[in-house]
Amino acid sequence: MLTYSDVFERELRKIIVAEIDRLLGNLGHGMGVTDHAAYMKIVGEIAGLRRALEACDEARSFANELR
């Protein structure tokens, strides 16, 4: 049985991955990329979201150590 925190983490991950996919799609199709600064902003957002996924993994590892 999943706990509330398990469900929360799973749904948060889905939202983050969907946003990464959306941003990657924008880069692939050139939508929203008008200049180098816009490109770098999107790349930075993707990097930040990937870091958020890594932080989820770290938090999960920490929580599992406490059990």
Side-chain angles (χ1 to χ4, degrees):
M1 184 168 150
L2 293 175
T3 64
Y4 174 81
S5 56
D6 292 333
V7 174
F8 177 83
E9 179 187 356
R10 184 180 62 199
E11 294 304 315
L12 179 61
R13 285 179 170 279
K14 284 181 189 177
I15 292 167
I16 292 171
V17 168
E19 182 64 9
I20 290 171
D21 290 343
R22 185 187 71 77
L23 291 169
L24 286 172
N26 286 349
L27 283 180
H29 300 304
M31 300 175 67
V33 182
T34 56
D35 58 9
H36 185 69
Y39 172 81
M40 293 303 293
K41 179 182 181 296
I42 292 172
V43 169
E45 289 175 358
I46 292 170
L49 290 167
R50 287 183 174 158
R51 178 62 189 116
L53 288 175
E54 291 173 9
C56 285
D57 292 338
E58 291 173 17
R60 169 64 67 181
S61 294
F62 179 74
N64 285 337
E65 289 176 7
L66 296 177
R67 288 183 187 184

